[in-house]
Amino acid sequence: MNVGGRRRVVVAVTGASGSVYGVTLLRILRERDDLETHLVVSRSGALTLRQETGLSPADVHALADVVHRPADVGASIASGSFATVGMVVAPCSIRTLSAIAYCDTADLVSRAADVTLKEGRPLVLMVRETPLHLGHLRAMTAAAEAGAVIAPPVPAFYHPPRDVEDLVEHSVRRVLDRLGLDGGSREWAGLRGEAEDGAAARRNGDPARRPPG
Protein backbone atom coordinates (compact mmCIF):
# COMPACT_ATOMS: atom_id res chain seq x y z
CA MET A 1 0.00 0.00 0.00
CA ASN A 2 1.21 3.51 -0.80
CA VAL A 3 0.64 5.90 2.07
CA GLY A 4 1.91 9.46 1.83
CA GLY A 5 4.20 8.47 -1.03
CA ARG A 6 5.98 5.77 1.01
CA ARG A 7 5.00 2.12 1.24
CA ARG A 8 5.17 0.47 4.65
CA VAL A 9 6.98 -2.80 5.32
CA VAL A 10 6.86 -4.68 8.63
CA VAL A 11 10.03 -6.47 9.71
CA ALA A 12 10.24 -8.78 12.72
CA VAL A 13 13.40 -10.28 14.18
CA THR A 14 12.93 -13.27 16.48
CA GLY A 15 15.22 -15.49 18.52
CA ALA A 16 16.32 -18.08 15.97
CA SER A 17 19.92 -18.17 14.83
CA GLY A 18 20.45 -16.00 11.75
CA SER A 19 19.99 -12.47 13.09
CA VAL A 20 22.18 -11.29 10.22
CA TYR A 21 19.26 -11.87 7.84
CA GLY A 22 17.12 -9.34 9.69
CA VAL A 23 19.93 -6.82 9.93
CA THR A 24 20.78 -7.18 6.23
CA LEU A 25 17.12 -6.80 5.31
CA LEU A 26 16.84 -3.57 7.29
CA ARG A 27 20.03 -2.18 5.76
CA ILE A 28 18.80 -2.84 2.24
CA LEU A 29 15.37 -1.37 2.96
CA ARG A 30 16.98 1.72 4.49
CA GLU A 31 18.47 2.54 1.07
CA ARG A 32 14.96 2.84 -0.37
CA ASP A 33 13.38 6.30 -0.14
CA ASP A 34 10.01 4.88 -1.19
CA LEU A 35 9.67 2.55 1.80
CA GLU A 36 8.93 3.05 5.51
CA THR A 37 10.06 0.21 7.76
CA HIS A 38 8.26 -0.82 10.93
CA LEU A 39 10.42 -3.01 13.15
CA VAL A 40 9.63 -5.28 16.09
CA VAL A 41 12.36 -7.33 17.78
CA SER A 42 11.27 -10.06 20.18
CA ARG A 43 12.99 -10.41 23.56
CA SER A 44 14.76 -13.56 22.39
CA GLY A 45 15.61 -11.81 19.14
CA ALA A 46 17.43 -9.05 21.04
CA LEU A 47 19.52 -11.64 22.91
CA THR A 48 20.45 -13.50 19.73
CA LEU A 49 21.27 -10.26 17.91
CA ARG A 50 23.84 -9.32 20.53
CA GLN A 51 25.31 -12.84 20.64
CA GLU A 52 25.64 -13.32 16.88
CA THR A 53 26.32 -9.82 15.57
CA GLY A 54 27.57 -7.81 18.53
CA LEU A 55 24.84 -5.26 17.82
CA SER A 56 22.63 -3.87 20.55
CA PRO A 57 18.88 -3.43 20.08
CA ALA A 58 19.53 0.31 19.76
CA ASP A 59 21.94 -0.32 16.88
CA VAL A 60 19.29 -2.31 15.03
CA HIS A 61 16.48 0.09 15.93
CA ALA A 62 18.46 2.84 14.23
CA LEU A 63 18.06 1.00 10.91
CA ALA A 64 14.26 1.27 10.99
CA ASP A 65 11.91 4.21 10.54
CA VAL A 66 9.51 3.13 13.28
CA VAL A 67 10.18 0.72 16.16
CA HIS A 68 7.49 -1.12 18.13
CA ARG A 69 7.79 -2.90 21.46
CA PRO A 70 7.19 -6.68 21.21
CA ALA A 71 4.56 -6.60 23.98
CA ASP A 72 2.63 -3.67 22.49
CA VAL A 73 -0.31 -5.51 20.93
CA GLY A 74 -2.02 -2.13 20.56
CA ALA A 75 0.61 -0.83 18.13
CA SER A 76 -0.38 0.42 14.69
CA ILE A 77 0.88 -2.72 12.92
CA ALA A 78 -1.52 -4.82 15.02
CA SER A 79 -4.49 -3.49 13.02
CA GLY A 80 -5.57 -4.52 9.56
CA SER A 81 -6.56 -0.92 8.87
CA PHE A 82 -2.86 0.00 8.97
CA ALA A 83 -1.88 -0.39 5.32
CA THR A 84 1.37 -2.22 4.51
CA VAL A 85 2.83 -4.06 1.52
CA GLY A 86 3.53 -7.06 3.73
CA MET A 87 5.68 -8.45 6.51
CA VAL A 88 8.91 -10.44 6.81
CA VAL A 89 10.02 -12.40 9.87
CA ALA A 90 13.80 -12.72 9.58
CA PRO A 91 14.81 -14.98 11.12
CA CYS A 92 11.66 -16.80 12.17
CA SER A 93 11.98 -19.08 15.20
CA ILE A 94 9.97 -22.27 15.46
CA ARG A 95 8.12 -20.74 18.40
CA THR A 96 7.06 -17.77 16.27
CA LEU A 97 6.19 -20.05 13.36
CA SER A 98 3.96 -22.10 15.64
CA ALA A 99 2.24 -19.03 17.08
CA ILE A 100 1.49 -17.77 13.57
CA ALA A 101 0.39 -21.18 12.29
CA TYR A 102 -2.07 -21.71 15.14
CA CYS A 103 -3.29 -18.11 15.56
CA ASP A 104 -1.69 -17.54 18.98
CA THR A 105 -1.54 -13.73 18.90
CA ALA A 106 -0.20 -13.07 22.39
CA ASP A 107 2.62 -10.76 21.26
CA LEU A 108 3.05 -8.12 18.58
CA VAL A 109 5.05 -10.29 16.17
CA SER A 110 2.38 -12.98 15.96
CA ARG A 111 -0.44 -10.43 16.03
CA ALA A 112 1.04 -8.37 13.18
CA ALA A 113 1.64 -11.58 11.20
CA ASP A 114 -1.93 -12.71 11.79
CA VAL A 115 -3.22 -9.34 10.59
CA THR A 116 -1.04 -9.60 7.48
CA LEU A 117 -2.57 -12.95 6.64
CA LYS A 118 -6.17 -11.98 7.30
CA GLU A 119 -5.79 -8.92 5.08
CA GLY A 120 -4.38 -11.06 2.26
CA ARG A 121 -0.96 -9.41 2.29
CA PRO A 122 2.34 -11.23 1.76
CA LEU A 123 3.86 -12.74 4.90
CA VAL A 124 7.33 -14.24 4.41
CA LEU A 125 8.75 -16.44 7.17
CA MET A 126 12.49 -17.07 7.03
CA VAL A 127 12.21 -20.13 9.24
CA ARG A 128 15.56 -21.09 10.71
CA GLU A 129 15.91 -24.63 12.08
CA THR A 130 17.50 -27.91 11.01
CA PRO A 131 16.98 -30.80 11.02
CA LEU A 132 13.19 -30.55 10.98
CA HIS A 133 10.99 -33.00 12.85
CA LEU A 134 7.37 -33.74 11.99
CA GLY A 135 6.01 -31.09 14.36
CA HIS A 136 8.06 -28.39 12.59
CA LEU A 137 6.86 -29.57 9.20
CA ARG A 138 3.23 -29.62 10.30
CA ALA A 139 3.50 -26.08 11.63
CA MET A 140 5.02 -24.96 8.33
CA THR A 141 2.18 -26.65 6.45
CA ALA A 142 -0.43 -24.96 8.65
CA ALA A 143 1.18 -21.54 8.14
CA ALA A 144 1.43 -22.11 4.38
CA GLU A 145 -2.21 -23.18 4.23
CA ALA A 146 -3.12 -19.90 5.95
CA GLY A 147 -1.24 -18.01 3.22
CA ALA A 148 2.28 -17.54 4.57
CA VAL A 149 5.34 -17.97 2.37
CA ILE A 150 7.79 -20.38 4.00
CA ALA A 151 11.25 -19.20 2.94
CA PRO A 152 14.03 -20.84 4.95
CA PRO A 153 17.31 -19.01 4.30
CA VAL A 154 18.81 -21.80 2.20
CA PRO A 155 21.97 -20.47 0.51
CA ALA A 156 22.19 -20.46 -3.27
CA PHE A 157 25.45 -20.92 -5.14
CA TYR A 158 24.57 -20.29 -8.78
CA HIS A 159 25.50 -16.56 -8.72
CA PRO A 160 28.30 -17.58 -7.53
CA PRO A 161 28.75 -16.06 -4.04
CA ARG A 162 31.90 -14.20 -3.11
CA ASP A 163 31.60 -14.61 0.66
CA VAL A 164 29.13 -15.26 3.48
CA GLU A 165 27.74 -11.73 3.24
CA ASP A 166 26.96 -12.33 -0.41
CA LEU A 167 25.07 -15.52 0.47
CA VAL A 168 23.01 -13.69 3.10
CA GLU A 169 22.24 -10.74 0.86
CA HIS A 170 21.13 -12.96 -1.99
CA SER A 171 18.59 -14.73 0.25
CA VAL A 172 17.29 -11.40 1.55
CA ARG A 173 16.92 -9.92 -1.93
CA ARG A 174 14.97 -12.99 -3.02
CA VAL A 175 12.58 -12.33 -0.12
CA LEU A 176 12.13 -8.72 -1.24
CA ASP A 177 11.34 -9.99 -4.74
CA ARG A 178 8.66 -12.21 -3.18
CA LEU A 179 7.14 -9.12 -1.56
CA GLY A 180 7.00 -7.45 -4.97
CA LEU A 181 9.62 -4.87 -3.98
CA ASP A 182 12.20 -5.64 -6.69
CA GLY A 183 15.01 -6.73 -4.39
CA GLY A 184 17.54 -6.75 -7.22
CA SER A 185 18.52 -10.40 -6.83
CA ARG A 186 20.68 -11.86 -9.54
CA GLU A 187 18.69 -13.94 -12.01
CA TRP A 188 19.57 -17.44 -13.11
CA ALA A 189 20.60 -17.22 -16.77
CA GLY A 190 20.44 -20.95 -17.42
CA LEU A 191 23.14 -23.42 -18.35
CA ARG A 192 23.79 -21.88 -21.75
CA GLY A 193 27.54 -22.11 -21.40
CA GLU A 194 27.30 -25.74 -20.30
CA ALA A 195 24.97 -26.57 -23.20
CA GLU A 196 27.31 -24.93 -25.70
CA ASP A 197 30.26 -26.88 -24.28
CA GLY A 198 28.25 -30.10 -24.59
CA ALA A 199 27.31 -29.38 -28.21
CA ALA A 200 30.94 -28.68 -29.07
CA ALA A 201 32.00 -31.91 -27.37
CA ARG A 202 29.48 -33.92 -29.38
CA ARG A 203 30.72 -32.33 -32.61
CA ASN A 204 34.23 -33.42 -31.64
CA GLY A 205 33.10 -36.97 -30.95
CA ASP A 206 33.37 -36.68 -27.15
CA PRO A 207 30.64 -37.97 -24.79
CA ALA A 208 28.00 -35.30 -24.11
CA ARG A 209 28.52 -33.44 -20.87
CA ARG A 210 25.76 -33.49 -18.34
CA PRO A 211 24.76 -30.43 -16.31
CA PRO A 212 25.52 -30.66 -12.59
CA GLY A 213 22.83 -32.44 -10.58
Side-chain angles (χ1 to χ4, degrees), residues 1 11 15 24 40 62-63 69 74 98 104 107 112 115 126 136-137 143 164-165 170 174 201 205 208:
M1 298 273 181
V11 176
T24 301
V40 52
L63 298 173
R69 292 181 293 107
S98 300
D104 180 1
D107 61 19
V115 162
M126 298 188 76
H136 299 154
L137 296 171
V164 173
E165 289 76 15
H170 182 75
R174 287 293 306 276

Side-chain angles (χ1 to χ4, degrees), residues 11-20 22 39-49 52 87-97 100 107 109-110 125-128:
V11 176
V13 177
T14 64
S17 180
S19 301
V20 65
L39 171 66
V40 52
V41 180
S42 71
R43 291 179 61 184
S44 297
L47 293 173
T48 307
L49 270 167
E52 293 187 345
M87 177 175 177
V88 182
V89 185
C92 180
S93 67
I94 293 296
R95 179 178 181 179
T96 298
L97 165 70
I100 294 169
D107 61 19
V109 174
S110 56
L125 307 179
M126 298 188 76
V127 181
R128 175 62 179 82

Side-chain angles (χ1 to χ4, degrees), residues 29-44:
L29 290 173
R30 192 164 181 79
E31 298 172 357
R32 299 274 299 264
D33 294 333
D34 61 323
L35 300 175
E36 177 182 284
T37 52
H38 287 253
L39 171 66
V40 52
V41 180
S42 71
R43 291 179 61 184
S44 297

Side-chain angles (χ1 to χ4, degrees), residues 160-197:
R162 297 178 298 272
D163 48 33
V164 173
E165 289 76 15
D166 199 26
L167 283 171
V168 170
E169 183 174 321
H170 182 75
S171 293
V172 169
R173 290 189 182 278
R174 287 293 306 276
V175 166
L176 291 176
D177 288 342
R178 191 62 182 78
L179 281 180
L181 294 177
D182 187 16
S185 61
R186 276 170 280 179
E187 295 182 347
W188 170 238
L191 289 171
R192 289 195 301 268
E194 191 72 28
E196 291 166 1
D197 289 346

Side-chain angles (χ1 to χ4, degrees), residues 60-139:
V60 179
H61 291 172
L63 298 173
D65 294 300
V66 182
V67 178
H68 303 278
R69 292 181 293 107
D72 185 10
V73 293
S76 58
I77 60 174
S79 172
S81 64
F82 188 77
T84 73
V85 297
M87 177 175 177
V88 182
V89 185
C92 180
S93 67
I94 293 296
R95 179 178 181 179
T96 298
L97 165 70
S98 300
I100 294 169
Y102 303 113
C103 307
D104 180 1
T105 58
D107 61 19
L108 184 56
V109 174
S110 56
R111 172 59 187 170
D114 194 68
V115 162
T116 302
L117 290 176
K118 79 179 183 69
E119 295 297 326
R121 299 166 186 158
L123 171 66
V124 182
L125 307 179
M126 298 188 76
V127 181
R128 175 62 179 82
E129 187 56 273
T130 190
L132 299 166
H133 63 59
L134 185 57
H136 299 154
L137 296 171
R138 283 177 172 160

